[in-house]
Amino acid sequence: MANQPSGITLFGAKGGGSAIIEAQLDYLKIPYIRRYLNWERLNDPKGDLAKVNPAREIPALLLPDGSVMTESAAITLWLGAEKPDSGLVPKTGTPEYGQFLRWLIWLVASVYPTFSYGDHPKRLLQDETAARSLRAATDKRREEMWRQFETAVTSTPWLIGNSMTALDIYIAVMTHWRPRRDWFKKNCPKVFEVAKRVDMMPEFEGMWARNLFD
Ligand SMILES: N[C@@H](CCC(=O)N[C@@H](CS)C(=O)NCC(=O)O)C(=O)O
């Protein structure tokens, strides 16, 4: 890699989106230091995360040259370019690459924001009832999105092509979040299958154990 990999620090929080990047770094066998932050303090403007990422969101990577990478999709594409033969990101020019980009951007631009707003509704709406409604509405909208995605899934056990990509890792982690795995099992069985297949991969045992998903 252009940057000395041994000097990468991943800022994360247990069970959060940093697990998606943790899994990729583990899969690629890139050494890195994990800095798990307390969920309660992530958004503290004076906290450790704010010094690295003004958006106060994880995942954030601090690279050896002092530069910072944030946004899980950007990190994913960057890692894919650094390790082009890993298969985590399909090769450019293939049909798989187009589909990969399509669903990667959908995950981070459509699904992820439902958590950004729904997890912390009072950042947007002071009123208790309005905040509760926002959370309920974003939860409902997310379920609709996943149901739509389920109809678009044409292959299992991997979403794209014949081998695992970073998209499958996103699915495995994000299906632990609301509405959670049991809901997926019942309502989005193809998506659930993908997640289960990732669960079985030995490369991710450490990531699952550290992140304490339910
Ligand atoms: N678009 C970002 C979203 C990152 C994000 O929303 N992370 C959540 C945790 S999963 C977070 O840091 N939340 C902390 C907060 O908002 O206080 C990405 O894809 O990396």
Side-chain angles (χ1 to χ4, degrees):
M1 297 180 82
N3 296 287
Q4 290 301 308
S6 57
I8 292 177
T9 302
L10 168 64
F11 289 79
K14 291 191 176 189
S18 47
I20 296 163
I21 302 305
E22 225 180 292
Q24 294 186 47
L25 290 167
D26 288 352
Y27 187 79
L28 297 172
K29 297 192 168 57
I30 295 174
Y32 64 103
I33 298 160
R34 283 180 289 276
R35 276 208 54 192
Y36 290 123
L37 304 170
N38 188 323
W39 278 105
E40 314 312 310
R41 299 217 47 224
L42 283 189
N43 197 43
D44 180 349
K46 295 201 170 77
D48 289 346
L49 186 57
K51 292 180 196 130
V52 181
N53 181 9
R56 309 196 293 267
E57 286 180 348
I58 51 98
L61 286 186
L62 178 60
L63 301 179
D65 64 1
S67 63
V68 170
M69 279 288 292
T70 61
E71 295 303 319
S72 60
I75 297 170
T76 296
L77 292 172
W78 177 70
L79 287 172
E82 293 287 341
K83 300 280 184 184
D85 295 326
S86 67
L88 277 188
V89 175
K91 293 255 163 70
T92 54
T94 61
E96 287 81 14
Y97 184 64
Q99 290 306 300
F100 180 87
L101 288 182
R102 175 189 180 196
W103 294 115
L104 177 68
I105 300 307
W106 175 77
L107 283 167
V108 297
S110 293
V111 181
Y112 222 137
T114 65
F115 291 105
S116 310
Y117 301 125
D119 282 356
H120 309 285
K122 291 197 91 177
R123 288 183 193 163
L124 297 173
L125 298 163
Q126 303 296 307
D127 179 73
E128 191 67 52
T129 311
R132 262 204 303 274
S133 298
L134 177 58
R135 181 174 176 118
T138 48
D139 279 352
K140 182 164 177 282
R141 178 72 189 114
R142 187 181 319 113
E143 288 183 9
E144 284 166 11
M145 287 179 190
W146 283 123
R147 285 182 204 275
Q148 289 162 357
F149 181 62
E150 173 79 4
T151 67
V153 174
T154 51
S155 72
T156 53
W158 309 117
L159 279 177
I160 307 283
N162 297 322
S163 54
M164 191 199 74
T165 69
L167 275 188
D168 302 296
I169 298 175
Y170 267 86
I171 294 297
V173 170
M174 290 178 95
T175 51
H176 274 288
W177 303 343
R178 300 191 305 283
R180 303 191 197 281
R181 285 285 181 92
D182 281 349
W183 183 90
F184 284 94
K185 189 175 182 181
K186 191 160 164 236
N187 298 285
C188 296
K190 287 185 280 180
V191 178
F192 181 75
E193 272 309 302
V194 170
K196 293 303 290 174
R197 173 56 71 107
V198 176
D199 287 353
M200 287 187 284
M201 295 198 51
E203 289 91 336
F204 305 130
E205 267 173 25
M207 179 280 286
W208 293 125
R210 289 188 296 270
N211 279 275
L212 308 171
F213 288 101
D214 51 14

